[in-house]
Amino acid sequence: MKLYINGCSFTAGEAYKFRPFWPSFFEQEHEIVQNDSYPGCSNHRIIRRTIDFINMQDNPEELVYVVQLTNCERSEWYDGDKDIWIGSLRDLANFDDKWRDRPWASNAGHHNDAKPYEDLQKQYFSVAYKHQSLEKSMLSTMEQVILLQSVFKQNNIDKYVIIPMSETADPRNYTPNNSNATYYNEMLNTIDLTHFTDDVISKIAKGLEVSMDNAHPNRAGHETIYRYILNVLKERTYD
């Protein structure tokens, strides 16, 4: 198989500290054309970069896509002056990894380049957090998924799976407020849920975390996730 993969640290390996992570196991027998996963990123970034990748391919329908959804409360915003997307990881500014290609990037790393944005991000978070809700965040994630599936359809891509990080990242497991239930359910019905995995990553790797204080999968956890996803792809004859 030729694979495209995207997700957060549950796919990127938590800043690459815990190798091998589950995409690494795929590399043993399959080709990963690109892994755009990035620690701390949002669903907006995951789906934006997946669509960017598709738009750059001559034959995107020839690949298999594995897209991992993350915490729906994360977001991102665009700085036109710096020409960079900046992820909002609570009150931290999390630059998209393409920041390294910008002429203003230093050799001192992410922390140094993001430092001027720390106060701005804290101000943004202090205001946005008061006006945000889990329901709004989940609805935003669903809009992003609908957009992604529309792009898949336009490009004749039918070999893909979407795997949520946890139940809180899974729109199937969210119960909306009564006032929004009709709208929410209409959106949920618009999503092709047949492309979602039955289980979420946190359930697949339950008991195989790095530690009590770190819910990321350890090596055994990543291998278990790999075997689960591989079986899903084989069952769907994507291999």
Side-chain angles (χ1 to χ4, degrees):
M1 284 184 292
K2 292 185 177 181
L3 296 156
Y4 171 85
I5 297 173
N6 207 341
C8 67
S9 55
F10 277 69
T11 296
E14 197 187 0
Y16 306 100
K17 289 187 289 187
F18 299 103
R19 288 179 178 269
F21 41 101
W22 66 260
S24 306
F25 292 99
F26 272 104
E27 291 176 331
Q28 297 173 11
E29 296 183 3
H30 305 280
E31 178 185 350
I32 296 180
V33 176
Q34 191 154 310
N35 181 357
D36 275 330
S37 304
Y38 192 58
C41 73
S42 65
N43 287 320
H44 291 267
R45 188 260 181 201
I46 291 168
I47 291 172
R48 172 176 58 81
R49 289 289 294 271
T50 301
I51 293 173
D52 286 348
F53 173 84
I54 291 171
N55 289 336
M56 291 188 294
Q57 305 307 303
D58 293 330
N59 300 294
E61 75 282 358
E62 295 180 356
L63 305 181
V64 176
Y65 296 77
V66 181
V67 179
Q68 176 241 307
L69 296 182
T70 188
N71 186 330
C72 67
E73 294 181 285
R74 298 175 183 175
S75 62
E76 68 174 1
W77 54 283
Y78 182 72
D79 184 333
D81 293 334
K82 295 263 187 192
D83 184 27
I84 189 68
W85 285 92
I86 302 174
S88 299
L89 183 58
R90 293 187 66 84
D91 61 347
L92 299 176
N94 188 31
F95 279 8
D96 188 284
D97 56 305
K98 285 190 174 183
W99 114 87
R100 301 185 185 95
D101 303 327
R102 300 299 186 262
W104 47 265
S106 69
N107 294 322
H110 181 281
H111 178 73
N112 183 76
D113 287 344
K115 193 171 182 59
Y117 289 84
E118 288 182 355
D119 289 340
L120 179 61
Q121 183 61 35
K122 285 179 171 59
Q123 292 176 31
Y124 165 81
F125 179 77
S126 65
V127 175
Y129 188 75
K130 294 177 182 178
H131 299 280
Q132 189 58 282
S133 69
L134 179 59
E135 187 151 302
K136 287 182 180 179
S137 299
M138 184 60 78
L139 287 169
S140 178
T141 289
M142 293 167 70
E143 290 171 350
Q144 295 295 306
V145 171
I146 291 170
L147 171 62
L148 176 62
Q149 291 192 323
S150 175
V151 173
F152 279 148
K153 185 176 182 180
Q154 290 171 3
N155 287 275
N156 299 312
I157 297 169
D158 57 7
K159 294 182 178 181
Y160 69 91
V161 295
I162 297 174
I163 180 167
M165 174 186 75
S166 62
E167 290 189 353
T168 56
D170 189 343
R172 297 170 296 183
N173 293 321
Y174 182 76
T175 302
N177 294 326
N178 290 335
S179 59
N180 293 326
T182 300
Y183 175 63
Y184 186 92
N185 290 329
E186 285 179 357
M187 286 190 67
L188 190 63
N189 290 334
T190 304
I191 297 173
D192 185 353
L193 296 174
T194 63
H195 285 277
F196 276 61
T197 56
D198 291 337
D199 293 328
V200 299
I201 284 182
S202 60
K203 182 177 179 180
I204 297 166
K206 186 175 178 60
L208 300 173
E209 296 86 5
V210 173
S211 68
M212 292 289 292
D213 300 321
N214 188 334
H216 289 84
N218 58 23
R219 186 190 187 284
H222 277 291
E223 184 170 6
T224 301
I225 295 165
Y226 152 71
R227 295 190 184 282
Y228 176 89
I229 295 175
L230 180 62
N231 285 336
V232 169
L233 298 180
K234 286 184 175 180
E235 288 173 358
R236 301 184 185 203
T237 64
Y238 290 176
D239 59 334

